[in-house]
Amino acid sequence: MTKHLIFAVDIGGTTCKLGIFDKNLTRLKKWAIKTDTSDPTGRQLLKKIYDAFIEQCDMLNYKLDDVIGMGIGVPGPVNFDAGIVNGAVNLNWPGKVNVVQLMSEFVDFPVVVDNDANIAALGEKHLGAGKDADDVVAITLGTGVGGGIISNGKIVHGHNGSGAELGHIRVDHEQRFDCNCGKAGCIETVASATGVVNLVNYYHPKLSIQSQLRPLIKSGDVTAKDVFDAAKLGDSFSLFIVEKIAQYIAYLASILSVTVNPKYIILGGGMADAGHILLENVKTAYYQLAFTPSQEGTEIVSASLGNEAGIVGAAGLIKTYIIEQER
């Protein structure tokens, strides 16, 4: 029998999602282990991941000889060609960790590593909202803003791995809020969960619009979820904030439309759970902003894989960069 199994790893700061897939990305097994952050070299965590796969293979009667490769997603900047993670704060990896080299001490099949936002985009391209399209952009709206770009079926990395760092495109040209990257005005400062609160605190003293959120705003306890919930109930101030956020996201989408011209622009992450009210506002603003020919056939949609995107994308690394390369 030819090799037919893919090992997939989505490393998070608390848990590592592990999966075994077939070469068509059908999931055969999924489980999780605790992320060991005690070793700053990364070796101990990678050894535990390897041991977890060996244990499952023994239980399922799978053989390592049947494994095509292992895809790994990591929450940090990655030099894709070298397989090196350039530090990962959530994993207690302060310096460079050569994940491919370390894992290759334990396995003799190919290992491919990439950033977690990139693999989430790849997951949506293979089995999610961007299925069957070769040009897809995923924008992840959470505590920060991340994302990934798939162009001609491949992840955009750039020459040093900084390609598709979407959260650090400047959209607030007044540069009102500092970003954790050291600059100001990044979309992360106005369209993440933190960005929502930034906008609320900026505009509330300046506008005379009444809001049911006033007590929460005055106490400093307002959250992005509060704003979206109030907007859905028709709160005027919250609707104003949602429209502002949507305009920033749409501006980013319009830039992406004329640079990579994706078939799908996919909104995911906790903020995207706001659903229809955010998505429709983004669409309205996008169609007003974007270069008209670049809009043709492009769809702005919600992510569909949720927390599964990472592990599907990790398996997708092997399908994209090993299986399809050999054809």
Side-chain angles (χ1 to χ4, degrees), residues 56-270:
Q56 284 294 328
C57 285
D58 288 344
M59 291 170 57
L60 298 168
N61 200 28
Y62 291 156
K63 294 179 173 57
L64 288 186
D65 288 343
D66 292 331
V67 179
I68 302 165
M70 177 188 290
I72 304 176
V74 181
V78 175
N79 181 327
F80 179 77
D81 292 330
I84 295 173
V85 179
N86 294 314
V89 174
N90 291 344
L91 304 182
N92 187 33
W93 295 357
K96 294 184 177 182
V97 175
N98 194 324
V99 172
V100 168
Q101 185 180 79
L102 287 171
M103 188 58 81
S104 294
E105 294 178 16
F106 311 120
V107 304
D108 59 6
F109 46 72
V111 177
V112 183
V113 62
D114 210 330
N115 169 264
D116 56 355
N118 284 343
I119 67 166
L122 192 62
E124 290 288 345
K125 173 256 186 295
H126 277 297
L127 295 182
K131 189 174 180 182
D132 299 328
D134 281 339
D135 298 282
V136 173
V137 169
I139 303 172
T140 306
L141 306 164
T143 306
V145 174
I149 296 173
I150 314 297
S151 182
N152 294 323
K154 302 289 181 63
I155 297 169
V156 171
H157 295 104
H159 77 94
N160 68 6
S162 297
E165 285 287 350
L166 304 183
H168 301 291
I169 292 176
R170 180 175 289 166
V171 300
D172 176 20
H173 300 297
E174 297 174 59
Q175 301 177 48
R176 291 168 294 177
F177 313 109
D178 292 334
C179 184
N180 59 19
C181 74
K183 302 290 177 68
C186 300
I187 192 168
E188 192 162 292
T189 69
V190 289
S192 64
T194 305
V196 174
V197 176
N198 284 343
L199 293 177
V200 166
N201 291 331
Y202 178 82
Y203 281 110
H204 190 259
K206 300 177 183 299
L207 301 176
S208 58
I209 304 173
Q210 292 298 310
S211 174
Q212 66 190 57
L213 296 180
R214 186 175 181 183
L216 287 173
I217 296 169
K218 291 189 72 173
S219 67
D221 295 326
V222 70
T223 67
K225 184 177 185 303
D226 294 327
V227 174
F228 285 109
D229 286 347
K232 290 172 186 175
L233 295 173
D235 182 76
S236 297
F237 177 72
S238 299
L239 285 167
F240 170 82
I241 295 296
V242 171
E243 287 175 7
K244 285 288 183 186
I245 297 159
Q247 286 167 2
Y248 289 124
I249 297 169
Y251 177 67
L252 171 60
S254 73
I255 293 170
L256 295 167
S257 274
V258 291
T259 50
V260 293
N261 193 214
K263 168 64 178 170
Y264 295 105
I265 298 172
I266 302 168
L267 304 185

